[in-house]
Amino acid sequence: MLKVISAIVLLAQLFPTAPPGVDRLDANARAAGNRKDMAVGIGRALFRTRWPAQVLNVYADGFAEHDIAGLRVSGEHFHHALTRDQFVGEIADLVREAFAAAPVDEVDVWASVPLRVGKDVIVAGDLAQPSSRAVFTVSVRRGERLDAFVRRVRADRGVYWDQEWARTTLK
């Protein structure tokens, strides 16, 4: 029993809860996709926690009988320093929470960092240029065990890491 209590206290320190109401406000403001109600539900589950790598947006898109969730995570300005293993652990927790919150078939996660753009660069409309770049991407299908997913990511199978970003950002 003491081990369980110690584990709960440790998890609460690593992933503190967000202030009351943040989950509702952020879920509505940060949800997108053609299954927005599903994105809001996933967001409400995720935004209850103050994750070290901030969840920026939650997307949910569906076609025919398939629903897919997308989680965009900040690739910079973490709430505290993260190692590569801690980052992978957070991604696994986000995926687990997303699957628990909605009946999606797949969860796609990507971390992005903003590009430094000059004042004359167009970032909206037909002539828009990118304003961010992906530094980490992974997809997980429902049914893949989380421990297998973590092993897959640690072995660099089916995942994209920007090596420079990972080397300089994840300590």
Side-chain angles (χ1 to χ4, degrees):
M1 184 65 170
L2 186 57
K3 288 182 181 179
V4 171
I5 293 170
S6 296
I8 291 170
V9 169
L10 178 62
L11 283 173
Q13 290 172 346
L14 292 175
F15 302 115
T17 58
V22 167
D23 59 331
R24 287 188 314 277
L25 295 173
D26 281 4
N28 286 307
R30 298 178 187 204
N34 66 8
R35 299 274 205 272
K36 187 170 179 179
D37 58 330
M38 190 177 286
V40 169
I42 295 168
R44 287 189 73 160
L46 296 180
F47 295 130
R48 286 186 204 131
T49 301
R50 187 172 182 243
W51 301 96
Q54 180 184 2
V55 178
L56 300 174
N57 304 100
V58 177
Y59 303 86
D61 287 310
F63 56 95
E65 300 293 319
H66 302 285
D67 293 309
I68 298 172
L71 311 176
R72 187 168 70 96
V73 176
S74 176
E76 64 177 15
H77 305 301
F78 300 145
H79 290 126
H80 64 73
L82 288 173
T83 65
R84 190 175 176 126
D85 276 348
Q86 289 170 328
F87 182 78
V88 170
E90 179 174 336
I91 299 303
D93 288 339
L94 289 169
V95 167
R96 179 182 40 78
E97 292 287 328
F99 278 132
V104 294
D105 302 310
E106 179 179 315
V107 176
D108 300 333
V109 183
W110 64 99
S112 63
V113 296
L115 293 174
R116 309 298 177 226
V117 295
K119 63 180 181 169
D120 296 328
V121 174
I122 299 169
V123 294
D126 291 342
L127 302 175
Q129 296 177 12
S131 59
S132 66
R133 69 183 175 92
V135 292
F136 171 87
T137 62
V138 69
S139 294
V140 187
R141 292 197 174 180
R142 184 176 291 279
E144 182 176 9
R145 290 189 4 233
L146 278 185
D147 60 333
F149 165 70
V150 169
R151 281 194 308 274
R152 176 169 65 89
V153 172
R154 287 182 178 153
D156 288 336
R157 289 189 321 266
V159 63
Y160 166 74
W161 292 93
D162 180 295
Q163 293 302 313
E164 179 67 16
W165 170 80
R167 187 181 58 74
T168 59
T169 305
L170 303 174
K171 304 300 176 199

